[in-house]
């Protein structure tokens, strides 16, 4: 304080920003009027100017009005500011009149006593949310809650921002490590609107509320893509329905909804979580679900612990009990990408009247990569052994070319014929022929020991290294016993992978040993390298493979005599056909691959249908593939990688009921007394039968018409199909003559029974049981008139009737009786359809005895003498294949 001021008693104060000194009352007062500020008037005005500019910038940035014209930001289309209460309905009507326009509102609203916001017993946030929902409908803008401010009293302020305000959105979670994992979807359109909503609720004045709205710019309305309360209630009330059915009903009831099927499935999952989500861990929850349904819907399959592998397995209880003993063919295949736990789900599907019947499922996955070789195979063996005694009539098992599955089935059902899927085999072959890489290790001497027409010195110049060869020959090649001493020679033939595929420069011959030598080749261009299989040879090789795959000893050749080859003859002819093609076209590498992976003895029996005396009904695993396709489309179509426990729940609740219903239809327990549809295979049989029953002139005209309008790419396949079925024409004509009609009714085709050997179809009224056979064999008898179903049942000697037995019962298939099928002529297999007289060349005397004619006697005796002199007494010896054929023929003669 200065001396002058002190002398007169005036309080002199110095400004904190400048050198000004003056009385206290010369300084500006505080805004609340309770004192003076510490800066002079000049400094205070400057600071207020700075603060105003900074506040304007912060406000513009906060409201998104940076860069906007002042008139546009400050002059809204609708402005309402008053201190007098305004009825809530009045405010809503005014906002609806200026919907989707810029506005500025600051009013107190008067609420009705019955309004939810006036109920002080509810949470304040929910009371404010009711007002926000009404404002959203009136303005067309959506506001998201930002923060809540609790005052010292009973009042609260809730602040909301416009959902489409650019700059206020949350930062998306971008997969920087994996760009492919990012969603292929655009973000919502946003605008610099600066939309803000503040609602003040005071419990002391429950019928009043303060509403402040600031929206600087108009933009497109906000579209609600979430479910309404009505839709949520509908999903909760109908949560037992499938999500796809719920979605169809929602689209029908609420066509204006913006929801998607995925949202419906998510809400359905949340509504049913209490049923299928038994634990946060989805794997543990799936195990609990299986244990919960054990004994009622499913049966748990016990699996041993395998290091590095996790597995869950269960069987469907009722389908296994109903159809397990009737099952003759089963297929197995898995599917991926069906659950978020990354488990492979595999299903065991039985064939029933041309339809797939699931019997069990197994989930498998690797954990830490420490699983030992064969771990999956051992788990599959445990799984399949559970069905071993429940399915005692298994004759065929089908899988793809996965080695673990093949070994597991051959271990559990060694007496059954394992069949590699036709479709998978063709795909594997086509893919490998298009890959330009050398084959695995091939020893031509092993092939020569099996078939003497194979050149033991003809081998590819370069083969893959040991690891690549093992990967290609996953099924492994079996070293014949007694040849372990040649292992050293085989090791000497292994060569490192090179950039070329040239043949060896020369071959070192040391007695019986032949060692090819490959010196370091000169540098060559890529265009000069030999191609593994040129493009022009791929299709012929695949076509030959198709024929070799389907040929069987029970199916006659398309020649005048309808010759049936034996299994050994088919095998030798197939190897000769493929070998000669490769040799003539210098495809040594292709032949090495073909022999190693397909035509070696241990491989041939895995895919060739002729390796079994019976013929399977299923040729591919498409029955399993079709089941997984429908499961993914109909059951999992509304989910995106669901949890494993949800998949298990859907199998039990969705798949199992449909399987039960399918079995009821097959066994005739549904629609009793009402029409029944034909099975898919019966429909095809009916179509072919009706076609073959027509006169040749009409069939020829229809065939020409089809060929003229057919696709050139499929005309050849259709023609080959017609040639294969031409043998049915005569049988159909003779059968129709016996039945006394040219167009049998549907009942005729419904009673057809299929077998794995001849006769492939048991035709009511045509085939009867051989009274001299202890096996109940069917044969074509001299029937003068059609017999009734009761007569057929009586001739079956106590066998179950059509209504009690399965439509495709295999009780009459006996591998022992059909082991030599194909080694005889068609007359020896089964009498041709309609045969009533003795075969040609056989003479019947009056005593009921038969004699060979003189010509037949000379012919047969000449054949026996030729075999004795040419083969048995041949000083040069025989080839191994011919020796095996003669042993089989002589064994039959000795037994006779």
């Amino acid at each position: 304080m200065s001396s002058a001021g002190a002398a007169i008693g005036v309080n002199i104060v110095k400004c904190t920003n400048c050198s000004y000194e003056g009385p206290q009352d010369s300084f500006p007062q505080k805004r609340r009027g309770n004192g003076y500020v510490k800066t002079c008037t000049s400094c205070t005005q400057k600071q207020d100017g700075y603060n105003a500019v900074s506040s304007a910038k912060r406000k513009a940035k906060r409201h998104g009005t940076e860069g906007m014209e002042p008139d546009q930001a400050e002059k809204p289309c609708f402005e309402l500011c008053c201190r007098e209460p305004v009825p809530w309905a009045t405010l809503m009507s005014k906002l609806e009149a200026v919907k989707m326009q810029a506005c500025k509102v600051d009013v107190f609203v008067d609420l009705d006593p019955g309004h939810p916001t006036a109920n002080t017993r509810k949470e304040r946030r929910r009371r404010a949310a009711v007002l926000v929902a009404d404002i959203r409908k009136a303005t067309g803008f959506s506001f998201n809650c930002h923060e809540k401010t609790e005052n010292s009293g009973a009042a609260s302020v809730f602040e909301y921002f416009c959902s489409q305000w650019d700059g206020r959105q949350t930062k998306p979670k971008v997969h920087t490590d994996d760009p492919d994992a990012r969603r292929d979807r655009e973000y919502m359109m946003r605008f610099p609107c600066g939309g803000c909503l503040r609602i003040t609720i005071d419990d002391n004045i429950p019928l009043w509320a303060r509403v402040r709205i600031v929206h600087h710019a108009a933009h497109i309305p906000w579209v609600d893509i979430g479910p309404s309360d009505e839709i949520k209630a509908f999903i909760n009330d109908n949560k037992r329905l499938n999500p796809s059915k719920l979605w169809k009903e929602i689209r029908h009831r609420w066509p204006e909804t913006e929801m998607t099927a995925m949202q419906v499935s998510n809400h359905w999952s949340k509504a049913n979580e209490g049923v299928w989500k038994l634990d946060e861990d989805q794997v543990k929850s799936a195990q609990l679900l299986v244990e919960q349904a054990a004994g009622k819907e499913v049966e748990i399959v016990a699996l041993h612990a395998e290091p590095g592998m996790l597995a869950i397995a269960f069987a469907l209880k009722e389908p296994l009990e109903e159809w397990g003993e009737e099952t003759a063919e089963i297929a197995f295949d898995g599917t991926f990408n069906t659950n978020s736990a990354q488990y492979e789900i595999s299903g065991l599907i039985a064939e029933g009247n041309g339809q797939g019947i699931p019997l069990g499922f197994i989930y498998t996955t690797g954990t830490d990569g420490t699983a030992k070789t064969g771990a999956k195979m051992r788990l599959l063996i445990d799984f399949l052994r559970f069905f071993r005694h429940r399915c005692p009539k298994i004759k065929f098992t089908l899988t793809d070319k996965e080695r673990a599955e093949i070994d597991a089935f051959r271990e559990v059902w060694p007496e059954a014929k394992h069949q590699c899927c036709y479709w998978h085999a063709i795909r594997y072959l086509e893919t490998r022929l298009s890959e330009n890489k050398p084959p695995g290790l091939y020893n031509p001497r092993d092939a020569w020991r099996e078939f003497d027409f194979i050149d033991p010195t003809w081998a590819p110049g370069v083969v893959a290294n040991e690891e690549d060869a093992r990967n290609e020959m996953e099924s492994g090649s079996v070293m014949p016993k007694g040849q372990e001493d040649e292992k050293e020679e085989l090791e000497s033939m292994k060569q490192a992978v090179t950039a070329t595929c040239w043949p060896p420069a020369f071959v070192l011959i040391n007695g019986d040993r032949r060692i090819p030598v490959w010196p370091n080749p000169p540098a060559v261009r890529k265009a000069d390298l030999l191609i593994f299989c040129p493009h022009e040879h791929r299709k012929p090789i695949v076509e030959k493979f198709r024929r070799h795959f389907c040929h069987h000893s029970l199916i006659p050749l398309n020649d005048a005599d309808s010759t049936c080859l034996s299994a050994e003859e088919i095998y030798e002819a197939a190897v000769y056909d493929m070998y000669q093609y490769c040799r003539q076209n210098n495809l040594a590498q292709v032949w090495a691959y073909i022999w190693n992976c397909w035509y070696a003895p241990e491989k041939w029996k895995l895919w060739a249908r002729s390796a079994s005396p019976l013929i399977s009904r299923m040729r591919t695993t498409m029955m399993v593939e079709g089941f997984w396709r429908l499961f993914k489309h109909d059951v999992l179509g509304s989910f995106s990688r669901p949890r494993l426990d949800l998949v298990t729940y859907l199998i039990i609740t969705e798949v199992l009921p449909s399987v039960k219903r399918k079995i009821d239809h097959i066994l005739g327990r549904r629609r009793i007394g009402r029409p029944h549809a034909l099975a898919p295979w019966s429909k095809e049989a009916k179509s072919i039968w009706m076609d073959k029953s027509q006169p040749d002139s009409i069939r020829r005209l229809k065939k020409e018409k089809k060929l003229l309008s057919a696709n050139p790419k499929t005309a050849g396949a259709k023609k080959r199909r017609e040639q294969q079925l031409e043998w049915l024409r005569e049988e159909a004509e003779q059968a129709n003559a016996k039945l006394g009609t040219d167009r049998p009714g549907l009942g005729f085709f419904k009673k057809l029974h299929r077998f794995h050997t001849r006769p492939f179809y048991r035709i009511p009224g045509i085939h009867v049981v051989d009274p001299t056979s202890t096996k109940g064999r069917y044969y074509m008898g001299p029937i003068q008139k059609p017999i009734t179903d009761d007569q057929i049942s009586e001739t079956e000697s106590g066998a179950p009737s059509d209504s009690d037995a399965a439509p495709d019962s295999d009780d009459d298939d006996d591998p022992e009786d059909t082991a030599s099928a194909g080694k005889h002529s068609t007359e020896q297999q089964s009498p041709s359809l309609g045969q009533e007289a003795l075969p040609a060349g056989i003479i019947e005397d009056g005593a009921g005895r038969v004699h060979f004619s003189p010509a037949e006697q000379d012919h047969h005796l000449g054949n026996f003498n030729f075999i004795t002199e040419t083969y048995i007494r041949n000083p040069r010896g025989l080839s191994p294949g011919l020796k095996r054929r003669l042993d089989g023929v002589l064994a039959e003669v000795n037994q006779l």
Side-chain angles (χ1 to χ4, degrees):
M1 182 181 295
S2 65
S3 59
I8 61 176
V10 179
N11 186 16
I12 302 299
V13 180
K14 186 179 183 301
C15 177
T16 58
N17 285 348
C18 65
S19 60
Y20 172 79
E21 293 183 0
Q24 182 73 54
D25 56 2
S26 66
F27 284 75
Q29 289 186 347
K30 294 182 179 180
R31 293 181 179 181
R32 296 183 180 181
N34 55 350
Y36 297 90
V37 297
K38 296 181 180 182
T39 57
C40 64
T41 303
S42 177
C43 293
T44 302
Q45 291 177 351
K46 292 180 181 179
Q47 187 65 37
D48 288 345
Y50 295 149
N51 292 341
V53 174
S54 300
S55 177
K57 291 181 179 180
R58 289 194 303 269
K59 186 177 180 180
K61 184 177 181 180
R62 180 181 179 185
H63 292 171
T65 57
E66 291 180 304
M68 297 177 61
E69 295 294 334
D71 295 341
Q72 182 181 2
E74 298 296 336
K75 292 183 179 180
C77 296
F78 172 71
E79 185 172 359
L80 178 62
C81 299
C82 62
R83 298 301 177 185
E84 296 296 329
V86 178
W88 180 249
T90 303
L91 178 61
M92 292 298 100
S93 61
K94 291 183 178 181
L95 291 177
E96 289 179 357
V98 292
K99 193 172 186 178
M100 306 306 304
Q101 300 296 328
C103 59
K104 183 178 181 181
V105 177
D106 186 0
V107 296
F108 286 90
V109 294
D110 189 4
L111 303 174
D112 296 331
H115 197 277
T117 307
N119 188 356
T120 58
R121 292 176 297 179
K122 292 185 176 181
E123 186 181 1
R124 296 178 186 176
R125 184 182 295 276
R126 294 186 178 182
R127 292 158 59 189
V130 177
L131 300 180
V132 176
D134 293 343
I135 294 173
R136 177 186 300 170
K137 295 179 181 179
T139 61
F141 301 128
S142 175
F143 296 91
N144 294 333
C145 183
H146 176 62
E147 63 180 357
K148 170 187 175 183
T149 303
E150 292 281 358
N151 292 337
S152 58
S156 298
V157 179
F158 298 92
E159 187 175 24
Y160 302 82
F161 292 126
C162 180
S163 303
Q164 298 167 278
W165 184 358
D166 189 16
R168 281 289 175 181
Q169 67 269 27
T170 58
K171 188 176 181 181
K173 297 179 180 180
V174 181
H175 294 270
T176 56
D177 54 340
D178 187 8
D180 295 335
R182 300 177 185 177
R183 295 187 301 175
D184 298 329
R185 188 172 62 183
E186 296 180 345
Y187 296 106
M188 181 176 63
M189 296 181 63
R190 297 184 179 274
F191 311 91
C193 60
C196 179
L197 169 63
R198 291 183 181 88
I199 296 178
T200 304
I201 296 177
D202 192 346
D203 289 345
N204 294 329
I205 314 175
L207 298 181
W208 281 16
R210 186 180 180 182
V211 178
R212 287 169 287 182
I213 305 175
V214 177
H215 210 282
H216 295 287
H219 54 72
I220 61 175
W222 177 81
V223 179
D224 187 5
I225 61 174
S228 62
D229 295 337
E230 296 178 350
I231 295 179
K232 289 182 180 179
F234 175 78
I235 295 176
N236 291 329
D237 295 340
N238 299 273
K239 58 185 180 182
R240 292 292 298 173
L241 295 178
N242 188 282
S244 59
K245 297 180 181 179
L246 285 174
W247 173 233
K248 292 180 182 179
E249 188 64 24
I250 288 174
R251 285 186 301 175
H252 176 71
R253 295 192 180 188
W254 295 276
E256 72 284 353
T257 183
E258 299 290 345
M259 291 185 66
T260 61
M262 194 65 65
Q263 290 177 289
V264 174
S265 64
N266 291 336
H267 284 278
W268 178 89
S269 301
K270 294 179 181 178
N272 285 278
E273 278 187 354
V275 180
W276 56 265
K277 189 177 181 181
L278 305 183
D279 194 272
E280 289 298 330
D281 185 358
Q282 55 179 318
V283 178
K284 183 177 180 181
S285 179
Q287 292 175 340
L288 294 175
L289 275 174
V290 174
E291 294 174 0
Q292 190 179 49
K296 296 176 291 185
E297 290 92 358
V298 303
E299 295 183 19
I300 300 177
V301 179
L303 303 175
H304 75 278
E306 191 69 38
M309 294 282 293
L310 293 177
I312 303 174
F314 59 92
L316 302 183
K317 187 175 185 297
E318 188 170 337
L320 184 59
E321 294 176 350
E322 293 281 350
W323 197 256
E325 295 185 356
E326 302 294 339
T327 302
E329 301 180 20
I330 53 176
F332 184 85
D333 200 1
T335 181
F336 297 90
N337 299 327
T338 57
N339 57 91
S340 57
Q342 300 296 329
Y343 271 69
E344 178 190 3
I345 302 181
S346 303
L348 186 68
I349 310 296
E351 187 271 341
N353 199 25
Q355 305 176 62
I357 301 177
L359 299 181
F361 298 89
I362 180 173
Y363 310 159
T364 56
T365 187
T367 55
D368 52 2
T370 60
K372 298 181 180 179
T373 303
K376 182 178 179 181
M377 180 195 68
R378 290 187 289 272
L379 290 175
L380 292 179
I381 289 176
D382 289 346
F383 174 70
L384 296 176
R385 279 176 177 168
F386 179 84
F387 302 88
R388 177 67 176 88
H389 300 290
R390 308 288 291 274
C391 304
K393 300 180 181 179
I394 297 298
K395 294 180 175 60
F396 293 93
T397 59
L398 278 83
T399 65
D400 55 15
K401 207 173 180 287
E402 184 174 349
R403 186 62 193 179
E405 299 176 0
I406 295 175
D407 290 343
F409 274 98
R410 298 182 71 184
E411 173 71 22
V412 177
W413 281 287
E415 72 282 359
K417 165 67 170 74
H418 184 80
Q419 182 69 56
C420 181
C421 173
Y422 173 77
W423 183 84
H424 284 92
I426 296 298
R427 188 181 67 169
Y428 293 146
L429 181 60
E430 292 176 342
T431 303
R432 181 61 182 90
L433 293 179
S434 63
E435 296 175 352
N436 192 22
K437 62 180 183 180
L441 180 65
Y442 166 69
N443 186 1
R445 298 181 65 184
D446 289 343
W448 171 76
R449 289 188 180 94
E450 297 293 333
F451 300 100
D452 57 359
F453 54 78
I454 296 179
D455 187 352
T457 63
W458 189 60
V462 172
V463 296
N465 59 9
E466 185 175 0
E467 181 179 358
D468 292 341
R470 184 169 55 253
N471 293 335
E472 179 177 83
M473 300 171 60
E474 182 183 358
S475 56
S477 60
V478 178
M479 180 74 71
K481 295 182 179 180
Q483 299 182 22
E484 291 81 358
D485 55 339
E486 297 185 2
K487 186 175 182 181
E488 181 180 356
E489 177 182 350
L490 298 180
E491 292 293 335
S492 65
M493 297 173 64
K494 294 181 180 178
Q495 301 294 321
V497 175
T498 64
T500 64
C501 294
W502 295 106
F506 55 89
V507 179
L508 296 178
I509 301 178
N510 184 11
D512 293 337
R513 301 185 62 182
R514 291 172 172 81
I515 304 176
V517 177
W518 293 273
N520 293 329
V524 294
R525 297 179 304 170
K526 185 177 181 180
D528 297 333
L529 300 180
L530 298 179
I531 301 177
F532 174 73
C533 182
H535 188 272
E536 62 272 14
H537 295 299
R538 296 172 188 172
K539 186 175 180 180
I541 291 175
V542 173
E543 288 300 322
K544 290 178 180 295
F545 182 85
R546 292 179 188 271
R547 293 197 302 270
H548 302 163
F549 189 105
C550 299
H551 200 181
H552 197 275
S553 58
L554 297 181
I555 301 177
L557 298 178
N558 188 25
D559 56 6
D561 299 331
S562 298
T563 307
C564 287
L565 301 179
S566 66
E568 292 78 8
E569 291 173 336
I570 293 175
Y571 181 29
E572 184 175 357
V575 174
Y576 182 83
D577 184 25
M578 187 65 72
Y579 174 78
Q580 288 298 327
Y581 183 87
C582 294
R583 184 64 186 270
Q584 294 171 4
N585 295 278
N586 196 25
L587 300 175
Q589 298 184 67
V590 176
W591 167 248
Y593 160 72
I594 289 288
W595 174 262
N596 287 337
C597 297
W598 298 102
Y599 284 78
E602 290 298 322
K603 305 300 189 307
W604 171 266
K605 65 178 67 174
L606 297 180
W607 60 273
R609 306 188 81 186
S610 60
S612 170
L614 308 178
I615 298 182
S616 63
R617 303 187 190 110
M618 292 192 298
R619 188 174 59 170
T620 68
T621 58
M622 289 300 106
M623 193 171 290
V624 191
E625 299 284 351
F627 167 78
W628 287 125
R629 181 180 63 83
L630 293 177
F631 179 73
K632 292 180 179 180
H633 181 272
D634 296 344
V635 182
L636 299 183
S638 302
F639 302 96
S640 177
R641 304 290 291 276
R643 288 167 52 102
L644 186 64
D645 49 1
L646 178 56
V647 175
T648 306
Y649 174 77
L650 293 174
I651 290 177
I652 296 175
T653 59
E654 298 292 337
V655 175
L656 181 57
S658 63
V659 175
K660 293 180 181 178
R661 188 176 183 87
K662 183 185 297 184
I663 294 176
D664 289 341
H665 278 288
I666 294 175
L667 298 180
R669 294 198 294 242
R670 285 188 175 270
R671 301 175 63 91
I672 299 176
R674 305 291 292 180
H676 287 240
L678 293 176
W681 69 269
S682 299
K683 293 180 180 179
E684 184 178 3
K686 175 180 177 295
S687 176
I688 298 174
W689 189 280
M690 291 301 184
D691 177 67
K692 301 302 180 183
S693 299
Q694 296 177 350
D696 291 342
S697 57
I698 297 178
R699 292 179 58 250
R700 191 177 300 109
L701 291 176
K702 290 184 177 181
K703 185 185 301 183
E704 292 176 358
K705 184 178 180 181
K706 288 183 179 180
L707 291 177
L708 291 176
S709 60
N711 188 344
K713 296 182 179 180
T714 60
K718 292 181 178 179
K719 185 177 181 180
R720 288 193 299 271
R721 178 64 173 169
E722 287 290 334
Q723 293 176 353
Q724 294 173 358
L725 297 176
E726 190 62 29
W727 61 272
L728 183 61
R729 180 180 61 83
E730 182 179 354
E731 295 188 358
E733 293 177 353
Q734 296 179 5
N736 290 340
K738 289 182 175 296
L739 294 173
T741 178
D742 293 336
R743 297 185 61 84
L746 293 179
F748 168 80
F749 297 101
K750 286 176 61 177
K751 294 183 179 298
L752 288 179
H753 283 211
R754 298 187 298 175
F755 297 97
H756 292 112
T757 185
R758 288 178 175 160
F760 299 116
Y761 295 92
R762 190 200 70 176
I763 305 174
I766 303 297
H767 291 104
V768 296
V769 179
D770 184 358
T772 63
S773 173
T774 59
K775 298 289 185 179
R777 290 291 180 192
Y778 291 96
Y779 77 103
M780 192 78 171
I783 305 173
Q784 301 299 329
K785 60 180 181 178
I787 61 175
T788 63
D789 296 338
D790 297 336
Q791 292 173 328
I792 294 178
S793 301
E794 292 176 359
T795 60
E796 291 181 350
S797 303
S801 61
D802 292 344
S803 59
D804 298 332
D808 287 332
S809 176
D810 296 287
D811 295 339
D812 297 322
D813 292 339
D814 188 0
E816 296 180 359
D817 289 352
T818 58
S820 59
K823 298 182 180 179
H824 311 282
S825 64
T826 56
E827 289 83 9
Q828 292 170 312
Q829 292 291 329
S830 62
S832 61
L833 219 62
Q835 178 180 347
E836 300 183 10
L838 293 173
I842 298 180
I843 305 174
E844 182 180 7
D845 58 13
R849 308 288 293 178
V850 294
H851 304 273
F852 287 100
S853 65
E856 286 286 332
Q857 295 176 13
D858 296 339
H859 177 71
H860 294 321
L861 291 176
N863 287 340
F864 277 111
N865 293 332
F866 177 81
I867 292 174
T868 303
E869 299 297 333
T870 307
Y871 296 129
I872 298 178
R873 297 179 180 178
N874 190 347
R876 298 175 57 250
L878 305 174
S879 65
L882 184 57
K883 178 63 166 56
R884 285 194 300 269
R885 292 171 56 186
L886 285 174
D887 289 341
V889 174
L890 294 176
E892 292 291 333
V893 173
N894 294 333
Q895 184 178 3
L896 179 62

